[in-house]
Amino acid sequence: MKGEDDSSGGIQSLDAALRLLAEMAGRREAVSLSELARDCAMPPSKVHRYLASFLHAGLVVQAGRSGKYDLGPGAIRLGLSALARHDFVNRTADALPDLVERTGLTALLSVWGTQGATVVRWERAAVPTVTSMGLGTVMPLLNSATGRAFLAWAPQAPLQSVLQAEMGRATGDLPCDAAGVAALVAPMRKSGFAWVDGRFIPGLVAIAAPVLDWQGEAQAVVTLIGTDPALAEAQGATVAALREFASTLSFA
């Protein structure tokens, strides 16, 4: 069909159809034809034709009385298939060198293991930070940026035995009860990253951000370590780079 293919090699009509599906996916409720037409800047008659095809394919369903449209079982099957193929840990590990190159800082990737927050990838910067940590190190929950990121974003049930043990031996200004932990992580959740200064490991500063799944829960945590106290400044370039990196690899 004349004009069907665009200059980028795509198919214009398919691009338009996918834009409609993306608009529906971004909503939390069913939507009317007129709303879709308005928000996607398409003629209602054109939107109606696309929706008819989506209905036939099972990608969309239509409510009875309201006549509004919502994603259907076909879209659910596609989504579940994509989720099953999404490997958070390996995808993040493969991208870690790019973050190190961008920030000039050593980066580590951690997952929740049987013993706790466990380092599974260590990517050293050109000028590495001297530390005794390495692959297989289990990071504490309360006094490490990595652990605090798990506290803020990971499912809480698997953390409880480790957390209870750490609270039982907490000293100084570390929290020793649930209220204290909530107060510790609240500003970190709000800021989108976790941090520690040099009080716990003298001279070492760390920031961490979660790689989130479709439920908004941490599947992994990426941490940058350095010696400059300015590293943890919320408006700083390094924090921005870390948050962008984790967000790009997240599903949420």
Side-chain angles (χ1 to χ4, degrees), residues 112 149-159 189 210 212 216-219 221:
W112 190 259
F150 277 105
L151 277 176
W153 286 282
Q156 293 302 293
L159 279 59
R189 284 188 64 89
L212 302 174
E217 296 178 338
Q219 288 287 319
V221 167

Side-chain angles (χ1 to χ4, degrees), residues 6-28:
D6 64 23
S7 59
S8 66
I11 301 173
Q12 290 179 354
S13 59
L14 181 56
D15 289 341
L18 293 174
R19 190 161 77 250
L20 284 173
L21 286 174
E23 176 66 27
M24 295 181 72
R27 295 171 176 265
R28 295 186 178 274

Side-chain angles (χ1 to χ4, degrees), residues 30-231:
V31 59
S32 69
L33 187 153
S34 60
E35 289 173 318
L36 273 177
R38 181 196 66 214
D39 293 345
C40 293
M42 293 184 192
S45 58
K46 184 176 183 179
V47 172
H48 183 268
R49 292 195 298 272
Y50 283 128
L51 289 173
S53 294
F54 296 158
L55 284 165
H56 181 72
L59 294 172
V60 162
V61 293
Q62 188 174 19
R65 287 190 174 182
S66 70
K68 291 186 175 182
Y69 296 86
D70 207 348
L71 296 178
I76 294 173
R77 285 193 295 272
L78 284 173
L80 291 175
S81 181
L83 293 178
R85 290 169 168 80
H86 196 91
D87 186 340
F88 292 94
V89 176
N90 285 327
R91 284 164 58 94
T92 305
D94 290 344
L96 215 56
D98 295 334
L99 179 65
V100 171
E101 181 178 0
R102 180 177 177 183
T103 62
L105 296 169
T106 292
L108 55 117
L109 174 65
S110 302
V111 299
W112 190 259
T114 55
Q115 303 299 315
T118 306
V119 178
V120 295
R121 178 70 179 265
W122 189 275
E123 194 70 29
R124 299 184 185 278
V127 181
T129 301
V130 178
T131 172
S132 60
M133 294 183 291
L135 289 177
T137 297
V138 177
M139 308 298 290
L141 285 172
L142 295 177
N143 61 347
S144 74
T146 302
R148 290 176 174 184
F150 277 105
L151 277 176
W153 286 282
Q156 293 302 293
L159 279 59
Q160 289 308 302
S161 61
V162 175
L163 178 58
Q164 293 299 323
E166 288 193 27
M167 288 192 300
R169 56 178 182 268
T171 59
D173 58 357
L174 291 176
C176 59
D177 56 26
V181 172
L184 175 70
V185 301
M188 299 181 182
R189 284 188 64 89
K190 183 177 181 180
S191 300
F193 76 105
W195 64 85
V196 292
D197 55 26
R199 287 176 295 169
F200 303 113
I201 301 179
L204 195 66
V205 181
I207 56 176
V211 178
L212 302 174
D213 62 18
W214 49 94
Q215 297 183 104
E217 296 178 338
Q219 288 287 319
V221 167
V222 179
T223 306
L224 292 173
I225 58 174
T227 57
D228 185 356
L231 173 64

